[in-house]
Amino acid sequence: MRRDFAESAGCRSDLVIGREESFGAAREQLARGGSVLLHGPAGIGKSTVLRTLATEYARTAHTVLRCSATESESHLPFLALADLLGLVLAEVSDALPAAQRTALESALTGRGESTLQRDGLALRLAVLSALRALAAEGPVLVVADDLQWLDPASAELLGFAARRLGDIPVRLLCAVRTEGPETESAEYDRHLRASPPDTRAVRLGPLTRAQVSTLLDERGYAGLHRSTVRDIHRTSGGNPLFALELGRALAESPAAPRPGEPLPVPTSLRALVLSRLEMLSDEARRTLLVASAGARPTPALLHAAGRDDAEAETAQAAALGLLAPDPEGPAVRFAHPLISAALYAEAPAAERRAAHAALSTAAFDPIERARHLALATTGTDPEVAARLAEAAALARDRGAPSVAASLGLLAARHTPADSAPGPDERRLAAAEDAITAGEPDLARDIAREVLTRATAPGGRVRAWMVVIEAAGQAIGEVDAVFPQALADAGDDPRLLALVHYQLAWRSLVVQGDFAQGRQEAAHAARLAARAGDRRTELLALAFQAQAETLMGHPGAPATIQRALQEPQDPRVACHHNGAGSSRFRWLVMSDRLAEARTTVTALLREVRRRGMAESEVHYLRFLAETELHSGHCGRALELSRESLTLARDAGIGEGAGAMQAALAEAAGGDPDRALELAREAVRRAEGDGDAVYLSRALAALGHANLAAGDAAAAVRALRRVRELEAGAGITDPARGRWQGDLAEALVRTGEPAEALDVIEVTRAHALRLGRGSVLAVLDRAEALVRAARGEHRAAITRLTSARERLAELGFGLEAARAVFALAELHAERPGRAPESASYDEAARLFRRCRALPWLRRVEAAVAARAAGPPPVRAAEPDGLAGLASMERQVAALVMEGATNREIAARLFVSVKTVEATLTRVYRKLGIRSRVDIVRLAAGRRPE
């Protein structure tokens, strides 16, 4: 009898969030016939993973046995065994010896008394025999959840059988709770000893903040501020059950927690983590409340807050498991962040205010003292508000804009309505800090709240600017804001400068019109200069310089110099839209890579010091770009991955991050991953209506396709780039450096005339602007055109020159590609020894660059050459005439009987590319399989 699981696989969506590695390890183990033991703390997701794996593998198992123990039933002997074997007893009983059958029936049915002491051996052998009998009919999957609650008798019997299964096709899929690092190893070691010898222990750890955010979205708690998600992640400790319960409590709460206050903790979680609190003395509980209210509680802080017996009381809490040792010092650390939050939520409001009042004088840091004073105070108080505003400024100077935003909101809450500055002015300052901290959703909500009340033009325009800034690359979604902002600005040059600066970004991002963007920025700079607003003037000049640089405008260097003149605003100077960023872009495009690296490294250091999250994301990406140009592919890969991780975590710049990561993966990582990231970048740019990054994303997609061996797809993507940049007025080929890739792809697809046109048009612009590296890459591409025409000597001359110039300029990877092209060109001329380049030299250069995908292509080329020329085959059938070059090559190799992996090696592409190419071949030829291709080769009609 087969027992299938009825659970839907619908839970898979929240399983794979953050569980890809663990799930993959367990799946791989089960697929090869092994057993799996999942372990981790309560709520970490073990049961979800176990159910989903069981559902997946139930389809291949003949019999599925399941038990799920509970703490309340763990005293009942043989209960788990009855769950496992009760419904199959009739099926296996005839296969058991009489003594074993009697003992097992007595244990499972309760008819007659059976104990391990009396029938121990018979019962043990009976369970083993029963599993063997079931396995004789087909594979058996045993699924046991919450092993820690298994009744001892069942645990002993199951362990006895598991250790003796040998090669019998019985797999165990189990889960056990392991609470903490002190006991975790001992716990799962004990259960491993009771498992089959080939069992793999898979630990489920906490989720990251980005994974918690995705989980909350999947479960219907979308729309939470990123600062709130950050608090949920911190409070839950990355535990998915705790995170979901906190999300539910927030969704059901009539009001969000006030700034600086912990999250509301639902009763279910309070009961779970505070069950031991009743064993504490009242004084110890008050001491823990003070610790939970403090940001970084220490015994010294607790003493200063009036807790004279802090050491003894915290020792009592530690003995109950509420506190844990802190390896970094004498801090009072809760065993789990949720204990602190639940303890605080459980306390009456008066006791919480008293704790904050004590800490407002005891805390050593002025920012902490101000925060505690605010939380101890009810109603408005101008003195408290002023202290909070001062603390916010101090946090801003320390590079903690998120803290500054929180303090600013507290200041606004305690500011009387008739004060100057007023509460809304302080709210807008908090919104601007939230933008800097990478929390645009919080900033947007604050600004929109202010707009419901504000009447003064200055406040309204300032709020509109926050709304626009919060939109990021999706600036087209707030188009309706611009007429309202212009109306509010009136004829005030300071306010108009702010609006026209944002209109410059709109022209660039939404319309893709660099010329219009440049004009708006220049107008904004003039207005700001007239109003004496140096900050806006600097931003507008930096934008103008950036647009002129990308357009190939001759005035770009002069505008950069104007943007760099004193006086400077320190925050603008290091901002990713400031003059420093514009100068970096100009240096990269001018082939001054060493200066560009020094510049962006200094900018990155400064924005990290200031806590400017969005700028950090961009500068990491800029540094990755510089390292990639320099041929440091491994370093570029690390930086681009770090940038993308930060972008995903903060929800800013994800499209640009995916674009740069795609380029880095294509050069030094995984070509298939490069394609995935490039496609993501294109989707995001199209979804945001971002004309600027759409062309960059398509250029990355074209490069990734070319690196993967799909020249036809590369041509399609890069032709779109050419059209978009022509329409935008971008003439500087150093902006995206895609033209050489397009020319090379066109040669590979048999279109050398168009390739030559791309080269000639681009060369004219590169000569005008002095773009030496671009000219060298174009020479490399032209060499491929000449080689395709049989002009080998001219091709070799071009390639040799290109290699030398690229190496001299410091473009290591591009120089290595030129050497590889030389080696391939020499290899195509039988009987001629390599003159100045060889595969060995190409391999050495790619290895030095850590350009692993390119190195694999060299190795494949060497192997193919060592294997000798391919066998002569018959002319291609007429049916292949309509296929593209790559498709014909793949189809021809299929006709020879080559597997997909062999084809990938021969053509230097991935297996996925071969599969996709075959799909297109089938569609174009109207066939269904590889067999039909072979029939075409034989001159027969496909069936």
Side-chain angles (χ1 to χ4, degrees):
M1 177 179 65
R2 176 172 172 160
R3 294 177 58 196
D4 286 327
F5 283 86
E7 289 94 335
S8 166
C11 60
R12 179 68 187 276
S13 63
D14 54 272
L15 160 70
V16 297
I17 297 169
R19 297 298 179 220
E20 295 84 358
E21 185 175 347
S22 300
F23 188 81
R27 172 190 277 157
E28 180 184 343
Q29 177 73 357
L30 290 170
R32 60 171 175 248
S35 296
V36 171
L37 177 65
L38 305 169
H39 65 98
I44 205 67
K46 301 181 300 297
S47 296
T48 305
V49 175
L50 181 136
R51 281 196 305 270
T52 307
L53 284 168
T55 300
E56 183 172 322
Y57 282 91
R59 292 190 284 268
T60 60
H62 182 270
T63 304
V64 180
L65 309 175
R66 181 183 181 184
C67 70
S68 184
T70 62
E71 184 177 12
S72 62
E73 298 171 340
S74 60
H75 66 285
L76 299 174
F78 306 120
L79 181 61
L81 191 66
D83 285 343
L84 288 171
L85 298 177
L87 295 180
V88 297
L89 180 60
E91 181 180 345
V92 301
S93 59
D94 290 343
L96 304 181
Q100 294 180 23
R101 182 169 61 248
T102 300
L104 187 59
E105 288 176 348
S106 297
L108 298 186
T109 64
R111 295 193 298 270
E113 184 180 355
S114 179
T115 65
L116 276 178
Q117 288 73 24
R118 193 182 75 182
D119 302 319
L121 182 59
L123 272 173
R124 287 173 171 84
L125 293 175
V127 173
L128 180 59
S129 299
L131 291 174
R132 283 173 172 164
L134 291 169
E137 300 297 323
V140 176
L141 179 65
V142 178
V143 183
D145 200 2
D146 284 319
L147 284 184
Q148 73 276 4
W149 305 132
L150 234 63
D151 63 273
S154 296
E156 167 62 26
L157 294 172
L158 188 59
F160 175 87
R163 291 190 296 270
R164 290 163 175 79
L165 287 171
D167 295 332
I168 301 171
V170 177
R171 290 173 290 180
L172 269 66
L173 174 57
C174 307
V176 62
R177 179 186 301 178
T178 50
E179 290 299 342
E182 297 82 4
T183 60
E184 188 173 67
S185 178
E187 281 288 320
Y188 80 75
D189 277 351
R190 178 168 64 85
H191 289 286
L192 269 179
R193 288 194 295 273
S195 302
D198 64 346
T199 299
R200 179 171 182 174
V202 177
R203 182 181 183 276
L204 300 184
L207 302 181
T208 66
R209 186 169 74 174
Q211 291 162 351
V212 165
S213 177
T214 304
L215 176 64
L216 292 167
D217 288 347
E218 289 282 335
R219 287 300 187 90
Y221 304 126
L224 295 172
H225 290 163
R226 287 188 175 86
S227 56
T228 303
V229 174
R230 180 191 61 213
D231 290 342
I232 289 175
H233 177 254
R234 184 183 64 245
T235 303
S236 67
N239 185 297
L241 173 64
F242 297 172
L244 288 171
E245 285 295 294
L246 290 167
R248 181 180 60 79
L250 279 170
E252 295 175 354
S253 176
R258 296 186 303 175
E261 288 189 345
L263 299 173
V265 180
T267 305
S268 59
L269 292 185
R270 294 189 204 183
L272 180 64
V273 299
L274 296 181
S275 57
R276 288 162 287 186
L277 200 64
E278 297 175 356
M279 302 171 68
L280 283 176
S281 66
D282 289 343
E283 289 302 311
R285 183 166 179 161
R286 291 191 186 97
T287 294
L288 287 193
L289 175 60
V290 175
S292 70
R296 293 174 296 277
T298 62
L301 178 65
L302 295 177
H303 274 293
R307 308 311 303 167
D308 297 333
D309 295 326
E311 283 85 354
E313 289 157 356
T314 54
Q316 181 186 0
L320 293 172
L322 294 167
L323 298 178
D326 192 327
E328 298 181 0
V332 176
R333 186 169 70 90
F334 286 88
H336 192 282
L338 189 61
I339 296 174
S340 174
L343 179 65
Y344 187 92
E346 189 82 3
E351 289 187 17
R352 285 186 286 189
R353 285 196 296 273
H356 286 296
L359 289 167
S360 69
T361 58
F364 307 110
D365 185 83
I367 292 176
E368 278 301 295
R369 288 198 297 270
R371 184 179 74 88
H372 289 301
L373 179 61
L375 295 174
T377 306
T378 57
T380 60
D381 186 320
E383 183 178 345
V384 171
R387 285 187 57 182
L388 284 163
E390 291 170 2
L394 180 58
R396 196 176 299 123
D397 290 341
R398 287 183 181 178
S402 181
V403 174
S406 176
L407 291 167
L409 289 175
L410 281 171
R413 181 157 61 88
H414 289 287
T415 300
D418 57 353
S419 294
D424 280 346
E425 187 171 348
R426 284 178 166 150
R427 287 189 181 93
L428 287 174
E432 289 160 355
D433 284 326
I435 289 284
T436 302
E439 297 174 9
D441 44 4
L442 174 61
R444 179 185 56 248
D445 287 357
I446 295 171
R448 290 200 178 279
E449 179 193 351
V450 170
L451 284 165
T452 62
R453 295 185 300 269
T455 55
R460 289 187 63 79
V461 171
R462 189 177 173 190
W464 288 127
M465 295 305 99
V466 170
V467 172
I468 294 169
E469 287 276 0
Q473 296 302 117
I475 192 172
E477 296 178 2
V478 293
D479 252 1
V481 165
F482 287 99
Q484 299 176 71
L486 284 169
D488 284 329
D491 57 1
D492 186 325
R494 183 180 64 84
L495 300 180
L496 283 171
L498 291 171
V499 181
H500 281 281
Y501 172 68
Q502 294 296 347
L503 281 169
W505 279 107
R506 182 188 176 279
S507 299
L508 193 67
V509 174
V510 178
Q511 298 172 310
D513 190 335
F514 278 70
Q516 179 64 29
R518 174 181 174 272
Q519 291 175 14
E520 288 284 5
H523 183 44
R526 289 191 295 270
L527 288 166
R530 197 168 76 199
D533 181 358
R534 183 61 173 163
R535 180 181 184 277
T536 303
E537 182 187 8
L538 289 170
L539 284 169
L541 286 171
F543 181 101
Q544 181 183 342
Q546 186 94 310
E548 289 174 351
T549 299
L550 298 176
M551 293 169 64
H553 192 285
T559 307
I560 291 174
Q561 288 304 313
R562 286 177 61 201
L564 290 170
Q565 287 174 358
E566 297 293 341
Q568 285 288 320
D569 182 316
R571 298 185 69 81
V572 173
C574 66
H575 193 275
H576 62 278
N577 290 327
S581 176
S582 298
R583 181 171 183 272
F584 160 79
R585 177 57 53 203
W586 183 81
L587 288 169
V588 168
M589 295 173 68
S590 301
D591 298 336
R592 295 163 66 173
L593 296 181
E595 290 179 72
R597 182 184 295 105
T598 301
T599 298
V600 74
T601 301
L603 290 167
L604 177 60
R605 187 185 306 115
E606 181 64 13
V607 297
R608 279 176 166 166
R609 187 184 72 80
R610 293 178 175 275
M612 299 168 69
E614 185 174 4
S615 292
E616 180 181 359
V617 168
H618 286 290
Y619 286 141
L620 279 169
R621 179 166 55 81
F622 291 173
L623 186 54
E625 177 188 350
T626 308
E627 297 294 358
L628 193 58
H629 287 321
S630 302
H632 305 151
C633 299
R635 177 66 174 149
L637 193 59
E638 293 170 4
L639 289 164
S640 63
R641 287 173 176 172
E642 183 182 356
S643 174
L644 183 57
T645 298
L646 287 177
R648 294 201 195 288
D649 195 30
I652 50 179
E654 292 181 75
M659 176 270 296
Q660 186 59 48
L663 294 171
E665 291 284 353
D670 180 354
D672 290 333
R673 176 66 176 152
L675 284 169
E676 292 173 12
L677 288 166
R679 291 178 185 127
E680 177 193 343
V682 172
R683 285 195 304 271
R684 288 186 179 277
E686 289 177 335
D688 290 341
D690 184 350
V692 174
Y693 271 109
L694 178 57
S695 62
R696 297 289 305 275
L698 285 166
L701 179 59
H703 179 78
N705 275 307
L706 184 62
D710 192 343
V715 167
R716 288 194 297 273
L718 295 174
R719 277 175 175 160
R720 283 189 66 192
V721 178
R722 194 181 189 191
E723 293 169 5
L724 286 169
E725 292 204 351
I730 299 172
T731 60
D732 194 330
R735 187 237 181 183
R737 301 177 183 269
W738 49 266
Q739 296 85 353
D741 282 345
L742 175 55
E744 182 175 337
L746 286 165
V747 171
R748 293 189 181 187
T749 56
E751 300 165 274
E754 185 181 346
L756 200 57
D757 177 67
V758 170
I759 292 167
E760 289 174 351
V761 170
T762 307
R763 183 176 282 140
H765 291 301
L767 285 168
R768 175 175 60 86
L769 297 167
R771 303 304 190 218
S773 62
V774 174
L775 289 167
V777 168
L778 291 174
D779 279 355
R780 188 184 67 202
E782 185 179 345
L784 300 179
V785 175
R786 292 182 177 276
R789 292 175 172 176
E791 303 170 17
H792 288 85
R793 185 177 298 277
I796 289 172
T797 301
R798 292 268 181 187
L799 284 172
T800 303
S801 172
R803 176 194 64 180
E804 292 171 354
R805 284 180 289 147
L806 288 166
E808 183 179 349
L809 290 168
F811 284 75
L813 180 58
E814 297 295 349
R817 286 179 63 180
V819 172
F820 184 32
L822 266 171
E824 289 187 304
L825 188 56
H826 286 304
E828 291 173 3
R829 304 177 70 190
R832 295 288 299 273
E835 296 169 4
S836 59
S838 67
Y839 284 126
D840 286 344
E841 185 182 0
R844 178 180 61 80
L845 292 175
F846 284 136
R847 194 176 291 111
R848 187 169 69 184
C849 292
R850 288 179 59 189
L852 301 182
W854 287 99
L855 181 60
R856 286 192 289 270
R857 290 180 64 174
V858 173
E859 291 169 346
V862 171
R865 191 179 182 196
V872 178
R873 57 178 184 262
E876 294 177 356
D878 292 341
L880 304 188
L883 300 180
S885 173
M886 172 64 73
E887 294 164 351
R888 288 197 303 273
Q889 293 179 63
V890 171
L893 289 169
V894 168
M895 293 173 185
E896 293 179 8
T899 66
N900 286 2
R901 189 169 296 281
E902 291 167 342
I903 295 171
R906 294 272 292 274
L907 299 180
F908 316 134
V909 298
S910 68
V911 174
K912 286 186 178 179
T913 298
V914 174
E915 293 168 350
T917 304
L918 275 175
T919 300
R920 294 195 300 272
V921 169
Y922 298 157
R923 184 175 65 250
K924 288 183 177 181
L925 299 182
I927 59 179
R928 294 190 297 272
S929 69
R930 298 167 64 96
V931 175
D932 290 337
I933 294 179
V934 176
R935 289 193 177 101
L936 280 175
R940 290 181 282 143
R941 292 176 59 83
E943 296 177 358

